Each structure stands twice: as C-alpha cells, then as structure tokens.
Amino acid sequence: MQDFVFHNSTKLIFGKNKEELVGQESVVYGKKLLLHYGGGSIKASGLYTKVVHSLHEHGIEIFELGGVQPNPRVSLVREGVALCKENDIDFILAVGGGSVIDSAKAIAAGAKYDGDVWDFFDGKAEITDCLPIGVVLTIPAAGSESSNGTVITNEDGWYKRSCGHTIMRPKFAIMNPVLTYTLPPYQTACGITDMMAHILERYFTNEKNVELTDRLCEATLKTIINNAPTVLADPTNYEARAEIMWSGTLAHNDLLGTGRIGDWGSHDIEHEISGIYDLAHGAGLAIVFPAWMKYVYKHDVNRFVQFANRVWDVEIDLNNLEKTVLGGIKKTEQFFSSIGMPVRLEEVNIDDEYFEEMAKKGTERGPLGNFVKLYEEDLVEIFKLAR
Ligand code: NZQ
Ligand code: ZN
C-alpha cells in the first residue's frame, strides 16, 4: 500500500427535505450569492422555489446564472466569472448535477484569477484561490459534489479538459434522494455507469497490497449493481435511490483510491468523445470501458480474474483464466446494456471519421492511463474495439 493523505472536507447533508437547510448552510459564507443551475429541471420540479425561499429567509442577496448545459461550456463560465467580479460575490451555490457543479467550480476559481479561466485547463496556470461553493445535488453521477475536480468544454476546438485543486471541493453538499425521483431512466443509467467507472478507474491499479480498498470498491460496485434495476423499474423507491446516491459520492470522494494509483485512461478517452460529439459522459463510458478492458487485461490477468469473480460472481476456471476474465468483461457489458446504455459507438451513430483526431488530441499532453500507458496508436485500437 502506498502512503496517502485522505482529506475530504465536504460536509455531506443527506436525507429527506434537507434542501430546506440551504439558507442556513450558505449564510455562513456571506450574503451575496451566485445561484447557478442548468436548463430548467430545477424549476420544473419546484426545487428552485424552495431554494430561493430558504436563501431569502436568511437574508441572502441572490444573483442568478442558469443555462448550464451537459458538458458545460467555458463561455458560460466566463460569464459567471464576470458576474462574480462585478458584484463582489461571496459564495456560489450549484443546484443540479455534475455539469452545474463543475461550471460553479470553474467560476469559483476564475473569480479569484486575473487571467482567462481556461488557463487552468490547458496547464498555463495553477489554481491558488477560489470562492467557496455549496451544492444541492439532483443527480447521482459525476461525484463532483465532493470531488476536487472540474471538467469544462471549450467550444473553440471542442476540447474537454479537467483541472483540480483540493480548495475547490464544495463546502457542503445537500443530498436528498427524493430530488432524484424526476430523473429520466436514461440519465439515471448514465449516472450509474459514471459512478461505476469512477470505481473501476481506481480498481485497476498496479498496486498489489490494497485488500481493504479493493473490497470497499467491490462492495460499492455490488451495491450499485443490486440497486440499479430497482431505481429503473421503480423510480420513486426511496431506499434504492438513497443507496445509489450515496454510492455516487463514495465512488468519487477519493476514499476508494486510498493507497494506490488509479488509471483514468478510460475517462480521458471518453472526454475526447463527448468533447466532439456532445454525448452524455456516462453513455460514453459504457462504450469505452469494456473496450479498454479488452485491450489491457493481459497486463494483469489476476486482477481481472478477481474483478470477474468478486464483482460478477464468475466462477474461476483455473485451467482457463482468460475465460474467467472475458466472462467478467462480458458481464460488465451486458449490465450496461441491461440498464439502457449503448456499448458500441455505432449505437450512438459515431463512425471512424474522428478516431485519429481524437487519439491525437487525447495524447497531445502525453500518454493516458497508469495501469497501462496508452499512446496515440493505442487509442485508435481502443476506438476500433468500441465500434
Ligand atoms: O440542466 P437540467 O435541466 O438541470 O437537466 C439535467 C441535464 O440535462 C438533468 N437533470 C439533473 N438532475 C435532474 C435532471 N433531470 C430531471 N430531474 C433531476 N433531478 O440531467 C442532465 C444531465 O445533467 P449533468 O449535470 O450533465 O449530469 P452529470 O451529473 O452526469 O454530470 C456530467 C458532467 O460531469 C463531468 C462529466 O464529464 C460531464 O461533463 N464529470 C465531472 C467530474 C468531477 N467534477 O469530478 C468527474 C466525472 O468523471 C465527470 O467527468
Ligand atoms: Zn466520470
């Protein structure tokens, strides 16, 4: 096990009606607040009205910026930065999913920086300060509610890039599973896939002695796999929604990565796809992850055997370990299909036109992944396996 520091400072407030506490939690950070949200789901559900009411009850002045799109754009982030600077904003409240939270994080960092916010994403500047942010989460998926990172798309060249710093972790995240009842099945499934991918990225490591973190990963994966069919069949099942919501946060709050170096190649590959094609991140991962597994499993057959056996209950065939491995990959793929995710590029009408370009853009700052280092030509092969 490698040395590690685990410090996740986000206060998680979990349960029914907890959004009513948003005013009380926000006022700690000041009286001028930027309310940031997406394309309208929070207005349709009535959450917007509840949040505004609670903020007003605590004497908070609200500035608003809605309109965050999935795969959030840097142009809106720049608008938010200007708004914060002009109005001396104290605090940013993100009400929504990963896209809204990521956009809020980027605004928070940009508001404390004199240059252009994209500098953080293309490596020209380091984040040293940022406004505090808080979250009311409406979709369990990206884990951004307690992660240290943000992922933003630049329309100029369709680059989707990430950056991070521990000071960007939200101060608090309010998580009421009831708020996720309105999620359409496709978005629910995208979220389930994304959280599983966050665990898999950490699971496939070259570190040998990490039994506890392996088992924590496996338990969380199994919990997601067990509860996914229930939330899809019965969207207002509180207990199943709660298990999925809590899993999404644990999948990406760094606990499941302790003592090891994760891979993250599949995420970087997926960002190339959703950067160009504007595909939902979870759907892209359902396509990329099985292809990545097929491409790299020979690097550590035993780890893939463990995965197949402990997560998917595939019997270990000692005379044919490869069969066990392929059984686990097949089960992964079948599970994604069973929840309505695409598992091939052709299912989302993506052909080979941009394979080379995506492979080149994806590796222009060096090879991807840690479990196995992937170069430009490897990415092309993975795209071919995903066709
Ligand atoms: O925009 P609105 O109207 O709110 O609708 C959203 C959006 O269309 C809708 N939605 C959210 N909550 C809802 C709801 N609809 C009905 N009822 C609700 N309760 O769902 C759609 C998707 O929302 P989005 O925020 O895009 O989803 P998600 O949370 O999956 O976030 C995806 C983004 O997060 C990034 C991804 O790359 C992608 O851009 N990621 C961020 C990470 C991080 N910061 O740590 C890590 C992840 O790996 C990921 O890369
Ligand atoms: Zn993700």
Side-chain angles (χ1 to χ4, degrees):
M1 191 188 298
Q2 297 205 354
D3 296 351
F4 66 86
V5 174
F6 174 67
H7 180 171
N8 191 309
S9 50
T10 305
K11 176 178 178 182
L12 302 174
I13 305 162
F14 193 101
K16 288 178 185 157
N17 298 319
K18 292 294 186 268
E19 63 278 10
E20 290 168 7
L21 300 175
V22 69
Q24 175 187 315
E25 294 296 327
S26 301
V27 77
V28 174
Y29 302 97
K31 291 256 175 176
K32 283 180 139 187
L33 175 146
L34 179 70
L35 176 57
H36 202 35
Y37 54 91
S41 73
I42 68 159
K43 289 199 171 161
S45 68
L47 176 60
Y48 171 87
T49 311
K50 278 192 197 170
V51 166
V52 167
H53 176 73
S54 175
L55 295 173
H56 280 158
E57 265 189 345
H58 287 82
I60 294 171
E61 186 182 359
I62 302 173
F63 296 78
E64 270 192 43
L65 184 62
V68 179
Q69 308 173 48
N71 299 317
R73 311 294 202 262
V74 74
S75 51
L76 192 75
V77 170
R78 290 187 179 120
E79 247 183 78
V81 169
L83 205 61
C84 286
K85 287 183 176 170
E86 279 158 24
N87 297 289
D88 236 348
I89 298 289
D90 300 311
F91 185 65
I92 305 177
L93 181 67
V95 184
S99 296
V100 176
I101 305 166
D102 283 3
S103 184
K105 286 175 173 173
I107 294 170
K112 293 282 189 176
Y113 177 61
D114 286 337
D116 178 39
V117 66
W118 190 252
D119 291 351
F120 298 130
F121 295 86
D122 68 5
K124 284 193 192 139
E126 293 282 319
I127 296 166
T128 54
D129 197 5
C130 80
L131 286 174
I133 83 159
V135 170
V136 179
L137 186 66
T138 63
I139 170 171
S144 187
E145 65 277 9
S146 76
S147 81
N148 62 2
T150 165
V151 193
I152 299 292
T153 297
N154 192 332
E155 301 94 318
D156 184 9
W158 298 106
Y159 283 91
K160 187 171 178 181
R161 292 285 177 261
S162 60
C163 70
H165 194 291
T166 194
I167 57 172
M168 261 191 325
R169 279 190 212 275
K171 297 292 175 197
F172 65 80
I174 293 178
M175 299 164 57
N176 174 1
V178 174
L179 299 178
T180 70
Y181 287 180
T182 51
L183 276 170
Y186 182 75
Q187 287 302 338
T188 300
C190 284
I192 286 166
T193 307
D194 192 18
M195 61 182 79
M196 288 177 72
H198 294 158
I199 304 171
L200 296 175
E201 296 281 17
R202 292 171 167 97
Y203 193 78
F204 291 104
T205 179
N206 291 316
E207 200 60 40
K208 295 293 172 208
N209 300 305
V210 278
E211 184 181 349
L212 177 60
T213 359
D214 273 0
R215 294 206 183 262
L216 289 170
C217 288
E218 290 154 4
T220 315
L221 283 168
K222 276 195 159 284
T223 304
I224 298 166
I225 293 162
N226 288 345
N227 285 279
T230 310
V231 290
L232 288 166
D234 180 11
T236 60
N237 183 314
Y238 181 82
E239 297 305 335
R241 286 284 192 191
E243 297 289 353
I244 292 289
M245 194 171 216
W246 184 214
S247 298
T249 304
L250 280 178
H252 203 38
N253 80 346
D254 289 339
L255 179 69
L256 304 188
T258 43
R260 62 220 274 147
I261 293 174
D263 183 65
W264 300 101
S266 298
H267 260 70
D268 286 337
I269 295 170
E270 194 293 315
H271 289 164
E272 291 311 317
I273 300 175
S274 52
I276 291 189
Y277 292 99
D278 204 17
L279 184 68
H281 173 63
L285 287 166
I287 295 167
V288 171
F289 235 111
W292 175 85
M293 287 176 167
K294 288 172 200 162
Y295 193 67
V296 304
Y297 74 84
K298 290 192 174 117
H299 173 69
D300 187 350
V301 167
N302 289 336
R303 181 149 281 274
F304 273 91
V305 166
Q306 179 182 302
F307 168 70
N309 176 254
R310 292 198 196 158
V311 176
W312 295 112
D313 303 318
V314 177
E315 211 175 306
I316 299 177
D317 184 342
L318 287 173
N319 298 316
N320 192 348
L321 291 179
E322 196 161 9
K323 188 175 150 214
T324 311
V325 170
L326 294 175
I329 298 174
K330 194 167 181 197
K331 289 247 185 182
T332 309
E333 211 167 55
Q334 283 172 341
F335 176 79
F336 290 151
S337 286
S338 76
I339 61 171
M341 287 286 95
V343 291
R344 291 285 186 281
L345 288 168
E346 66 173 9
E347 291 177 61
V348 288
N349 300 319
I350 294 179
D351 61 18
D352 55 9
E353 186 181 355
Y354 291 110
F355 282 6
E356 270 83 18
E357 184 179 327
M358 290 192 292
K360 196 173 168 40
K361 274 169 78 179
T363 52
E364 65 189 22
R365 289 191 292 176
L368 303 182
N370 295 303
F371 183 65
V372 175
K373 291 261 176 244
L374 300 172
Y375 297 84
E376 193 176 329
E377 54 279 17
D378 298 311
L379 264 61
V380 173
E381 292 308 314
I382 290 172
F383 289 133
K384 285 184 187 164
L385 283 170
R387 265 194 294 215

PDB file of all heavy atoms in Angstrom, residues 316-338:
ATOM      1  N   ILE A 316     -14.142 -19.065 -11.096  1.00  0.00           N
ATOM      2  CA  ILE A 316     -12.753 -19.046 -11.585  1.00  0.00           C
ATOM      3  C   ILE A 316     -12.425 -20.393 -12.222  1.00  0.00           C
ATOM      4  O   ILE A 316     -12.556 -21.440 -11.596  1.00  0.00           O
ATOM      5  CB  ILE A 316     -11.759 -18.744 -10.438  1.00  0.00           C
ATOM      6  CG1 ILE A 316     -12.059 -17.367  -9.827  1.00  0.00           C
ATOM      7  CG2 ILE A 316     -10.306 -18.803 -10.948  1.00  0.00           C
ATOM      8  CD1 ILE A 316     -11.193 -16.986  -8.650  1.00  0.00           C
ATOM      9  N   ASP A 317     -12.011 -20.341 -13.463  1.00  0.00           N
ATOM     10  CA  ASP A 317     -11.573 -21.550 -14.163  1.00  0.00           C
ATOM     11  C   ASP A 317     -10.050 -21.552 -14.145  1.00  0.00           C
ATOM     12  O   ASP A 317      -9.402 -20.847 -14.918  1.00  0.00           O
ATOM     13  CB  ASP A 317     -12.116 -21.510 -15.604  1.00  0.00           C
ATOM     14  CG  ASP A 317     -11.797 -22.784 -16.366  1.00  0.00           C
ATOM     15  OD1 ASP A 317     -10.883 -23.516 -15.919  1.00  0.00           O
ATOM     16  OD2 ASP A 317     -12.445 -23.025 -17.400  1.00  0.00           O
ATOM     17  N   LEU A 318      -9.492 -22.357 -13.224  1.00  0.00           N
ATOM     18  CA  LEU A 318      -8.038 -22.327 -13.041  1.00  0.00           C
ATOM     19  C   LEU A 318      -7.287 -22.796 -14.281  1.00  0.00           C
ATOM     20  O   LEU A 318      -6.130 -22.447 -14.502  1.00  0.00           O
ATOM     21  CB  LEU A 318      -7.630 -23.180 -11.838  1.00  0.00           C
ATOM     22  CG  LEU A 318      -7.988 -22.558 -10.473  1.00  0.00           C
ATOM     23  CD1 LEU A 318      -7.709 -23.552  -9.345  1.00  0.00           C
ATOM     24  CD2 LEU A 318      -7.237 -21.255 -10.229  1.00  0.00           C
ATOM     25  N   ASN A 319      -7.952 -23.582 -15.108  1.00  0.00           N
ATOM     26  CA  ASN A 319      -7.302 -24.044 -16.340  1.00  0.00           C
ATOM     27  C   ASN A 319      -7.432 -23.044 -17.478  1.00  0.00           C
ATOM     28  O   ASN A 319      -6.787 -23.199 -18.513  1.00  0.00           O
ATOM     29  CB  ASN A 319      -7.920 -25.380 -16.794  1.00  0.00           C
ATOM     30  CG  ASN A 319      -7.705 -26.436 -15.748  1.00  0.00           C
ATOM     31  OD1 ASN A 319      -6.602 -26.536 -15.198  1.00  0.00           O
ATOM     32  ND2 ASN A 319      -8.747 -27.170 -15.430  1.00  0.00           N
ATOM     33  N   ASN A 320      -8.279 -22.062 -17.268  1.00  0.00           N
ATOM     34  CA  ASN A 320      -8.502 -21.096 -18.344  1.00  0.00           C
ATOM     35  C   ASN A 320      -8.884 -19.738 -17.741  1.00  0.00           C
ATOM     36  O   ASN A 320     -10.049 -19.341 -17.734  1.00  0.00           O
ATOM     37  CB  ASN A 320      -9.607 -21.621 -19.278  1.00  0.00           C
ATOM     38  CG  ASN A 320      -9.673 -20.820 -20.560  1.00  0.00           C
ATOM     39  OD1 ASN A 320      -9.059 -19.744 -20.667  1.00  0.00           O
ATOM     40  ND2 ASN A 320     -10.425 -21.321 -21.525  1.00  0.00           N
ATOM     41  N   LEU A 321      -7.842 -19.056 -17.207  1.00  0.00           N
ATOM     42  CA  LEU A 321      -8.104 -17.785 -16.522  1.00  0.00           C
ATOM     43  C   LEU A 321      -8.667 -16.739 -17.485  1.00  0.00           C
ATOM     44  O   LEU A 321      -9.466 -15.888 -17.112  1.00  0.00           O
ATOM     45  CB  LEU A 321      -6.826 -17.266 -15.858  1.00  0.00           C
ATOM     46  CG  LEU A 321      -6.328 -18.090 -14.661  1.00  0.00           C
ATOM     47  CD1 LEU A 321      -5.038 -17.510 -14.095  1.00  0.00           C
ATOM     48  CD2 LEU A 321      -7.383 -18.184 -13.561  1.00  0.00           C
ATOM     49  N   GLU A 322      -8.218 -16.825 -18.718  1.00  0.00           N
ATOM     50  CA  GLU A 322      -8.675 -15.861 -19.717  1.00  0.00           C
ATOM     51  C   GLU A 322     -10.196 -15.949 -19.892  1.00  0.00           C
ATOM     52  O   GLU A 322     -10.879 -14.932 -20.074  1.00  0.00           O
ATOM     53  CB  GLU A 322      -7.966 -16.138 -21.040  1.00  0.00           C
ATOM     54  CG  GLU A 322      -8.087 -14.990 -21.982  1.00  0.00           C
ATOM     55  CD  GLU A 322      -7.024 -15.038 -23.085  1.00  0.00           C
ATOM     56  OE1 GLU A 322      -6.322 -16.065 -23.197  1.00  0.00           O
ATOM     57  OE2 GLU A 322      -6.918 -14.045 -23.813  1.00  0.00           O
ATOM     58  N   LYS A 323     -10.696 -17.176 -19.818  1.00  0.00           N
ATOM     59  CA  LYS A 323     -12.150 -17.365 -19.943  1.00  0.00           C
ATOM     60  C   LYS A 323     -12.875 -16.633 -18.808  1.00  0.00           C
ATOM     61  O   LYS A 323     -13.916 -15.995 -19.012  1.00  0.00           O
ATOM     62  CB  LYS A 323     -12.454 -18.874 -19.885  1.00  0.00           C
ATOM     63  CG  LYS A 323     -13.868 -19.228 -20.186  1.00  0.00           C
ATOM     64  CD  LYS A 323     -14.043 -20.742 -20.225  1.00  0.00           C
ATOM     65  CE  LYS A 323     -15.446 -21.115 -19.811  1.00  0.00           C
ATOM     66  NZ  LYS A 323     -15.514 -22.363 -19.076  1.00  0.00           N
ATOM     67  N   THR A 324     -12.297 -16.726 -17.594  1.00  0.00           N
ATOM     68  CA  THR A 324     -12.890 -16.031 -16.448  1.00  0.00           C
ATOM     69  C   THR A 324     -12.878 -14.524 -16.684  1.00  0.00           C
ATOM     70  O   THR A 324     -13.880 -13.827 -16.467  1.00  0.00           O
ATOM     71  CB  THR A 324     -12.090 -16.357 -15.166  1.00  0.00           C
ATOM     72  OG1 THR A 324     -11.922 -17.770 -15.081  1.00  0.00           O
ATOM     73  CG2 THR A 324     -12.791 -15.828 -13.925  1.00  0.00           C
ATOM     74  N   VAL A 325     -11.719 -14.016 -17.134  1.00  0.00           N
ATOM     75  CA  VAL A 325     -11.584 -12.575 -17.395  1.00  0.00           C
ATOM     76  C   VAL A 325     -12.630 -12.121 -18.411  1.00  0.00           C
ATOM     77  O   VAL A 325     -13.363 -11.149 -18.179  1.00  0.00           O
ATOM     78  CB  VAL A 325     -10.170 -12.253 -17.945  1.00  0.00           C
ATOM     79  CG1 VAL A 325     -10.101 -10.824 -18.456  1.00  0.00           C
ATOM     80  CG2 VAL A 325      -9.110 -12.494 -16.879  1.00  0.00           C
ATOM     81  N   LEU A 326     -12.703 -12.843 -19.522  1.00  0.00           N
ATOM     82  CA  LEU A 326     -13.628 -12.436 -20.587  1.00  0.00           C
ATOM     83  C   LEU A 326     -15.083 -12.537 -20.122  1.00  0.00           C
ATOM     84  O   LEU A 326     -15.934 -11.735 -20.519  1.00  0.00           O
ATOM     85  CB  LEU A 326     -13.389 -13.258 -21.851  1.00  0.00           C
ATOM     86  CG  LEU A 326     -12.006 -13.007 -22.504  1.00  0.00           C
ATOM     87  CD1 LEU A 326     -11.779 -13.939 -23.682  1.00  0.00           C
ATOM     88  CD2 LEU A 326     -11.833 -11.549 -22.941  1.00  0.00           C
ATOM     89  N   GLY A 327     -15.330 -13.501 -19.211  1.00  0.00           N
ATOM     90  CA  GLY A 327     -16.670 -13.620 -18.617  1.00  0.00           C
ATOM     91  C   GLY A 327     -17.018 -12.354 -17.827  1.00  0.00           C
ATOM     92  O   GLY A 327     -18.135 -11.852 -17.895  1.00  0.00           O
ATOM     93  N   GLY A 328     -16.042 -11.814 -17.087  1.00  0.00           N
ATOM     94  CA  GLY A 328     -16.265 -10.589 -16.292  1.00  0.00           C
ATOM     95  C   GLY A 328     -16.497  -9.386 -17.191  1.00  0.00           C
ATOM     96  O   GLY A 328     -17.376  -8.551 -16.921  1.00  0.00           O
ATOM     97  N   ILE A 329     -15.725  -9.305 -18.263  1.00  0.00           N
ATOM     98  CA  ILE A 329     -15.891  -8.161 -19.185  1.00  0.00           C
ATOM     99  C   ILE A 329     -17.265  -8.246 -19.851  1.00  0.00           C
ATOM    100  O   ILE A 329     -17.974  -7.248 -19.991  1.00  0.00           O
ATOM    101  CB  ILE A 329     -14.747  -8.131 -20.228  1.00  0.00           C
ATOM    102  CG1 ILE A 329     -13.398  -7.940 -19.524  1.00  0.00           C
ATOM    103  CG2 ILE A 329     -14.981  -7.033 -21.270  1.00  0.00           C
ATOM    104  CD1 ILE A 329     -12.171  -8.037 -20.422  1.00  0.00           C
ATOM    105  N   LYS A 330     -17.646  -9.472 -20.219  1.00  0.00           N
ATOM    106  CA  LYS A 330     -18.955  -9.658 -20.860  1.00  0.00           C
ATOM    107  C   LYS A 330     -20.089  -9.254 -19.914  1.00  0.00           C
ATOM    108  O   LYS A 330     -21.043  -8.584 -20.314  1.00  0.00           O
ATOM    109  CB  LYS A 330     -19.108 -11.127 -21.271  1.00  0.00           C
ATOM    110  CG  LYS A 330     -20.239 -11.352 -22.211  1.00  0.00           C
ATOM    111  CD  LYS A 330     -20.174 -12.713 -22.839  1.00  0.00           C
ATOM    112  CE  LYS A 330     -21.351 -12.834 -23.793  1.00  0.00           C
ATOM    113  NZ  LYS A 330     -21.647 -14.183 -24.157  1.00  0.00           N
ATOM    114  N   LYS A 331     -19.944  -9.646 -18.647  1.00  0.00           N
ATOM    115  CA  LYS A 331     -20.994  -9.292 -17.670  1.00  0.00           C
ATOM    116  C   LYS A 331     -21.076  -7.769 -17.507  1.00  0.00           C
ATOM    117  O   LYS A 331     -22.168  -7.223 -17.332  1.00  0.00           O
ATOM    118  CB  LYS A 331     -20.683  -9.930 -16.312  1.00  0.00           C
ATOM    119  CG  LYS A 331     -20.874 -11.424 -16.293  1.00  0.00           C
ATOM    120  CD  LYS A 331     -22.035 -11.769 -15.395  1.00  0.00           C
ATOM    121  CE  LYS A 331     -22.161 -13.281 -15.278  1.00  0.00           C
ATOM    122  NZ  LYS A 331     -23.294 -13.690 -14.467  1.00  0.00           N
ATOM    123  N   THR A 332     -19.931  -7.112 -17.537  1.00  0.00           N
ATOM    124  CA  THR A 332     -19.916  -5.646 -17.404  1.00  0.00           C
ATOM    125  C   THR A 332     -20.711  -5.038 -18.561  1.00  0.00           C
ATOM    126  O   THR A 332     -21.578  -4.183 -18.371  1.00  0.00           O
ATOM    127  CB  THR A 332     -18.451  -5.120 -17.446  1.00  0.00           C
ATOM    128  OG1 THR A 332     -17.675  -5.860 -16.517  1.00  0.00           O
ATOM    129  CG2 THR A 332     -18.374  -3.639 -17.123  1.00  0.00           C
ATOM    130  N   GLU A 333     -20.377  -5.525 -19.753  1.00  0.00           N
ATOM    131  CA  GLU A 333     -21.027  -5.008 -20.962  1.00  0.00           C
ATOM    132  C   GLU A 333     -22.537  -5.295 -20.930  1.00  0.00           C
ATOM    133  O   GLU A 333     -23.360  -4.427 -21.218  1.00  0.00           O
ATOM    134  CB  GLU A 333     -20.387  -5.703 -22.161  1.00  0.00           C
ATOM    135  CG  GLU A 333     -20.342  -4.878 -23.397  1.00  0.00           C
ATOM    136  CD  GLU A 333     -19.412  -5.520 -24.432  1.00  0.00           C
ATOM    137  OE1 GLU A 333     -19.602  -6.700 -24.777  1.00  0.00           O
ATOM    138  OE2 GLU A 333     -18.497  -4.836 -24.875  1.00  0.00           O
ATOM    139  N   GLN A 334     -22.873  -6.530 -20.540  1.00  0.00           N
ATOM    140  CA  GLN A 334     -24.304  -6.911 -20.502  1.00  0.00           C
ATOM    141  C   GLN A 334     -25.066  -6.064 -19.491  1.00  0.00           C
ATOM    142  O   GLN A 334     -26.207  -5.678 -19.718  1.00  0.00           O
ATOM    143  CB  GLN A 334     -24.450  -8.390 -20.128  1.00  0.00           C
ATOM    144  CG  GLN A 334     -24.143  -9.314 -21.288  1.00  0.00           C
ATOM    145  CD  GLN A 334     -24.102 -10.787 -20.862  1.00  0.00           C
ATOM    146  OE1 GLN A 334     -23.956 -11.095 -19.676  1.00  0.00           O
ATOM    147  NE2 GLN A 334     -24.206 -11.680 -21.829  1.00  0.00           N
ATOM    148  N   PHE A 335     -24.397  -5.756 -18.374  1.00  0.00           N
ATOM    149  CA  PHE A 335     -25.057  -4.934 -17.359  1.00  0.00           C
ATOM    150  C   PHE A 335     -25.344  -3.541 -17.924  1.00  0.00           C
ATOM    151  O   PHE A 335     -26.464  -3.034 -17.789  1.00  0.00           O
ATOM    152  CB  PHE A 335     -24.195  -4.830 -16.091  1.00  0.00           C
ATOM    153  CG  PHE A 335     -24.793  -3.907 -15.072  1.00  0.00           C
ATOM    154  CD1 PHE A 335     -25.832  -4.324 -14.260  1.00  0.00           C
ATOM    155  CD2 PHE A 335     -24.343  -2.592 -14.954  1.00  0.00           C
ATOM    156  CE1 PHE A 335     -26.423  -3.457 -13.338  1.00  0.00           C
ATOM    157  CE2 PHE A 335     -24.924  -1.721 -14.041  1.00  0.00           C
ATOM    158  CZ  PHE A 335     -25.960  -2.154 -13.225  1.00  0.00           C
ATOM    159  N   PHE A 336     -24.346  -2.933 -18.559  1.00  0.00           N
ATOM    160  CA  PHE A 336     -24.576  -1.594 -19.128  1.00  0.00           C
ATOM    161  C   PHE A 336     -25.732  -1.630 -20.138  1.00  0.00           C
ATOM    162  O   PHE A 336     -26.606  -0.768 -20.128  1.00  0.00           O
ATOM    163  CB  PHE A 336     -23.300  -1.049 -19.796  1.00  0.00           C
ATOM    164  CG  PHE A 336     -22.188  -0.687 -18.830  1.00  0.00           C
ATOM    165  CD1 PHE A 336     -20.850  -0.761 -19.212  1.00  0.00           C
ATOM    166  CD2 PHE A 336     -22.476  -0.256 -17.542  1.00  0.00           C
ATOM    167  CE1 PHE A 336     -19.826  -0.423 -18.327  1.00  0.00           C
ATOM    168  CE2 PHE A 336     -21.462   0.088 -16.642  1.00  0.00           C
ATOM    169  CZ  PHE A 336     -20.136  -0.002 -17.040  1.00  0.00           C
ATOM    170  N   SER A 337     -25.731  -2.660 -20.988  1.00  0.00           N
ATOM    171  CA  SER A 337     -26.847  -2.796 -21.955  1.00  0.00           C
ATOM    172  C   SER A 337     -28.175  -2.945 -21.236  1.00  0.00           C
ATOM    173  O   SER A 337     -29.185  -2.346 -21.635  1.00  0.00           O
ATOM    174  CB  SER A 337     -26.664  -4.032 -22.827  1.00  0.00           C
ATOM    175  OG  SER A 337     -25.680  -3.839 -23.769  1.00  0.00           O
ATOM    176  N   SER A 338     -28.171  -3.732 -20.165  1.00  0.00           N
ATOM    177  CA  SER A 338     -29.436  -4.019 -19.475  1.00  0.00           C
ATOM    178  C   SER A 338     -30.047  -2.770 -18.852  1.00  0.00           C
ATOM    179  O   SER A 338     -31.253  -2.696 -18.630  1.00  0.00           O
ATOM    180  CB  SER A 338     -29.229  -5.086 -18.387  1.00  0.00           C
ATOM    181  OG  SER A 338     -28.591  -4.512 -17.253  1.00  0.00           O
TER     182      SER A 338
END
